[in-house]
Amino acid sequence: MWWYNLGIGVYSGAVKMVSPFMRKAALWYQGRRDIFRKLEQAVGGSERIIWFHAASLGEFEQGRPVMEAVREYYPSYKILLTFFSPSGYEIRRNYSGADWVFYLPADTPRNAARFLDTVKPEMAVFIKYEFWLNYLAELSRREVPTYIISAGFRPDSIFFRPWGGAFRRALRSFRRLFVQDADSQALLAGIGVTNVTVAGDTRFDRVGRIADGARRLPAVEDFAAGGTVFVAGSTWPPDEEILVRLINVNPGMKFIVAPHEMDEKRIKEMAGAVRGGAVRYTEYGEADDGGEKQLLIIDTIGILSSVYGYGSYAYIGGGFGVGIHNTLEAAVYGIPVIFGPKYQKFNEAVSLIREGGAFSISNGAELSEILDSLIQHPTIAETAGQKALEYVNSQLGATAVISEALSTTI
């Protein structure tokens, strides 16, 4: 695995080099400085620990229902939650469902051994992906029960490539793999991995709970009062370009846009480009005419899942980049969902389109055409929303399957 360890070292070094110039890199690097001293001070001792690891925020939300269930099954145990990415750690560093939240030290043989010497977990749970070879090898060597939950595998994944031997061997570290679908199970069976359970995707359980306990947002409620509302979440610049054009040709509709990143320049540019006026969520109470504006910009984090509940239609960003964001947060409210062309790697998006609850667009003209059709034919919009909600409800239950299995582990 010399090539893997070399890659980890090069990556860590590159992050350090660019950290003075890139905020995310700086957070990644600074968050791991003195990490073992911090771990030893916080965790070191005689506590009995269950370790959960998430790559970022999305994976955390996916694993959260299982963490909460495990807490109930093992009330005398402490939960350690680690993140790889700053976009997860910085937002959930104070998550009350875990006893400690830390960055995961870089995956070198020395770090993996030292981390496990310090933490001494009695069970380890990886969420969706993050196949860190040294950590998995060390967990296996120590015979720590290790699981992966809500995992999904595709034929083009490294595990099924001729050069993926090290990653195929890493799969043997898991006592059980809880996968999202039968296709993943079949792919794993093809390489001899049979300790697999098709449990489904815990995100469905999570969004169901979020919708049931959706926050009341007075500013959003006031803005949306008496009008039809189009909510666009987790948007990137390519999304925002076509959304601004859509807003300007639909002056009689209210729009709410929640950018994926709080970039001040982008927010100001978007606000200035909307002819019907824009107001920021954090300034809504200061703007006497906020409710008369056409666009509300959500310039804070942590409320998008509740904001979708005020919409009649939803647009999910990211489809003109590396891939769309969470479609289920909107679908659970029973509204039609629209997103860009890069969705094929997301099973739930493919399924939503197949079931008739979502639509994909390739450009701004198609977005405008779909919205016009939904507005002019309310029964189509209502049916699409019902299909979206029915699909979400049909996929509930993964948390119960996984947590019941984990309840007999230690």
Side-chain angles (χ1 to χ4, degrees):
M1 286 202 324
W2 65 268
W3 52 270
Y4 176 83
N5 293 326
L6 176 63
I8 294 292
V10 169
Y11 180 87
S12 300
V15 170
K16 181 178 179 179
M17 286 179 60
V18 301
S19 62
F21 315 103
M22 295 178 60
R23 180 177 180 273
K24 195 169 183 178
L27 290 170
W28 193 99
Y29 173 65
Q30 294 295 336
R32 287 169 168 81
R33 292 189 67 180
D34 297 324
I35 187 68
F36 286 106
R37 178 184 59 81
K38 297 172 186 175
L39 275 167
E40 288 161 4
Q41 288 179 346
V43 180
S46 58
E47 304 287 3
R48 305 188 74 179
I49 294 172
I50 298 171
W51 171 33
F52 280 83
H53 176 70
S56 191
L57 183 60
E59 291 72 34
F60 162 79
E61 293 295 343
Q62 207 158 7
R64 184 171 176 171
V66 176
M67 272 187 275
E68 292 171 353
V70 165
R71 170 77 83 185
E72 293 181 8
Y73 279 117
Y74 297 103
S76 63
Y77 282 71
K78 302 288 188 181
I79 291 180
L80 168 68
L81 170 64
T82 59
F83 284 99
F84 174 78
S85 171
S87 57
Y89 174 81
E90 298 298 330
I91 294 173
R92 291 291 182 246
R93 62 194 301 175
N94 296 316
Y95 169 56
S96 60
D99 297 281
W100 307 284
V101 182
F102 281 100
Y103 279 105
L104 182 69
D107 185 30
T108 66
R110 181 180 178 184
N111 282 353
R114 188 174 178 185
F115 178 86
L116 294 177
D117 284 341
T118 302
V119 174
K120 298 180 177 64
E122 296 188 33
M123 178 167 66
V125 182
F126 289 72
I127 303 165
K128 191 174 182 180
Y129 48 75
E130 293 281 275
F131 298 92
W132 297 117
L133 302 189
N134 291 307
Y135 279 104
L136 290 175
E138 194 65 25
L139 284 164
S140 179
R141 188 181 70 80
R142 299 174 187 227
E143 299 183 344
V144 177
T146 303
Y147 301 87
I148 189 162
I149 64 174
S150 290
F153 294 87
R154 300 189 306 274
D156 59 352
S157 298
I158 192 171
F159 307 97
F160 314 107
R161 301 285 190 173
W163 54 85
F167 285 88
R168 285 192 288 275
R169 287 191 294 274
L171 295 177
R172 314 282 178 186
S173 304
F174 295 108
R175 177 172 291 188
R176 182 149 293 273
L177 297 89
F178 295 95
V179 299
Q180 296 182 21
D181 51 51
D183 289 343
S184 294
Q185 184 183 40
L187 284 169
L188 291 169
I191 57 173
V193 179
T194 58
N195 53 328
V196 178
T197 297
V198 180
D201 188 342
T202 53
R203 282 182 303 168
F204 291 92
D205 300 318
R206 177 62 185 150
V207 298
R209 293 184 187 182
I210 290 173
D212 289 341
R215 295 168 56 184
R216 180 174 174 265
L217 304 170
V220 179
E221 188 174 304
D222 183 74
F223 176 82
T228 302
V229 180
F230 184 105
V231 179
S234 300
T235 61
W236 291 87
D239 303 301
E240 290 153 14
E241 288 177 15
I242 65 173
L243 285 167
V244 166
R245 294 198 294 271
L246 185 73
I247 295 168
N248 286 334
V249 298
N250 287 277
M253 182 179 292
K254 293 288 189 80
F255 289 80
I256 301 175
V257 175
H260 181 67
E261 295 182 343
M262 301 296 111
D263 183 284
E264 191 65 23
K265 182 173 181 290
R266 274 171 52 196
I267 289 174
K268 288 181 177 179
E269 288 177 351
M270 182 166 48
V274 173
R275 292 195 289 267
V279 60
R280 298 166 68 135
Y281 177 82
T282 56
E283 299 174 355
Y284 192 86
E286 303 168 13
D288 294 335
D289 61 345
E292 299 173 12
K293 303 292 187 183
Q294 191 185 5
L295 171 64
L296 174 64
I297 300 174
I298 305 298
D299 58 344
T300 188
I301 59 174
I303 65 171
L304 177 58
S305 57
S306 294
V307 170
Y308 282 123
Y310 292 91
S312 298
Y313 319 98
Y315 175 91
I316 312 301
F320 290 94
V322 296
I324 59 172
H325 291 281
N326 193 338
T327 56
L328 302 179
E329 287 184 336
V332 72
Y333 289 103
I335 57 177
V337 180
I338 307 169
F339 40 77
K342 295 184 180 179
Y343 68 88
Q344 293 81 4
K345 293 182 179 180
F346 302 86
N347 290 340
E348 69 280 6
V350 173
S351 297
L352 278 168
I353 287 180
R354 184 185 64 240
E355 298 297 324
F359 308 87
S360 174
I361 55 103
S362 299
N363 51 54
E366 291 183 5
L367 175 59
S368 184
E369 182 180 340
I370 287 175
L371 180 59
D372 287 345
S373 177
L374 293 173
I375 293 172
Q376 293 169 16
H377 303 92
T379 55
I380 294 177
E382 182 180 354
T383 299
Q386 289 175 347
K387 294 293 185 182
L389 178 57
E390 288 171 4
Y391 170 67
V392 174
N393 288 338
S394 73
Q395 301 298 310
L396 299 175
T399 299
V401 172
I402 296 168
S403 58
E404 185 175 343
L406 298 184
S407 70
T408 60
T409 295
I410 51 180

